[in-house]
Amino acid sequence: DDDALELVSFHSTSKGVFGECGRRGGYMEIVGLDQGVKDELYKLASAFLCSSTNGQIMTSLMVRGPHASDASYKSHEEEKKAVFESLKRRSQLVSDGLNSIPGFSCQKATGSMYCFPKLLLPDKAIAAAKAEGVAPDTLYAVSLLQETGICVVPASGFGQESGRFGFRTTFLPSEEEMAIAVEKIRQH
């Protein structure tokens, strides 16, 4: 029964297997919501400008892809599989690499293109952050950016439990670039 569960699902061209960063397009599926709620959501969505033509084309390609009888089907499926397998390797590389750093704890990403490592920060770092009026993981993220050029998002921006510090990082760059980034984080 479709009404047994209320579910809103989102998907975008920049966050899927194809990972077309910068391409703005996507879709939303609504299941089991009251028709009045659906009507209001559609009204709200209609009030905004639509995505660019490129974004609409990317979304169409993402959800339809080539048909099995198309000349490009085989190469498309091979490329899609290669990208997916590389994303799995990069996720493993980042989570394993961060887990090998003392004070870091990172679960393997299973449904997104982000890792969220937990950091054990020294008391002095926590005190320094407090003195500056920023979250300790924000101080770490700024330091990491200034010293290595690696940009991460402090976990404090995601409503973490009190005393949990960390950051969000993607693993979309190439496997070679991710290995370098993990090593720079280790040295930091």
Side-chain angles (χ1 to χ4, degrees), residues 7-169:
L7 177 69
V8 179
S9 177
F10 298 90
H11 192 70
S12 74
T13 57
S14 64
K15 302 295 187 275
V17 170
F18 301 106
E20 295 292 339
C21 296
R23 299 289 186 183
R24 301 297 178 229
Y27 65 89
M28 168 175 84
E29 179 183 20
I30 302 171
V31 175
L33 264 65
D34 177 81
Q35 188 59 47
V37 174
K38 286 183 187 179
D39 292 344
E40 292 302 314
L41 286 171
Y42 286 127
K43 201 182 307 179
L44 180 64
S46 298
F48 295 99
L49 295 175
C50 63
S51 66
S52 67
T53 301
N54 287 341
Q56 292 179 47
I57 291 169
M58 290 301 300
T59 301
S60 177
L61 290 171
M62 177 182 69
V63 299
R64 290 191 179 94
H67 188 270
S69 63
D70 293 342
S72 63
Y73 179 78
K74 183 179 177 190
S75 63
H76 177 268
E77 291 301 304
E78 288 171 356
E79 183 176 342
K80 185 169 68 172
K81 181 179 179 185
V83 168
F84 184 70
E85 293 302 320
S86 177
L87 286 169
K88 289 194 315 189
R89 287 191 302 273
R90 285 180 264 174
S91 170
Q92 192 72 53
L93 184 151
V94 173
S95 59
D96 288 351
L98 294 177
N99 278 327
S100 73
I101 302 171
F104 278 65
S105 174
C106 184
Q107 295 181 352
K108 183 180 174 191
T110 58
S112 69
M113 295 183 186
Y114 300 106
C115 286
F116 286 85
K118 176 182 176 182
L119 308 178
L120 294 176
L121 296 175
D123 290 339
K124 285 184 178 181
I126 295 169
K130 186 175 183 178
E132 290 191 34
V134 298
D137 48 15
T138 298
L139 190 64
Y140 177 86
V142 170
S143 171
L144 184 66
L145 178 62
Q146 290 173 337
E147 294 181 24
T148 69
I150 296 171
C151 182
V152 298
V153 180
S156 54
F158 297 97
Q160 302 296 294
E161 291 179 5
S162 179
R164 186 203 187 275
F165 308 114
F167 58 83
R168 180 186 82 178
T169 186

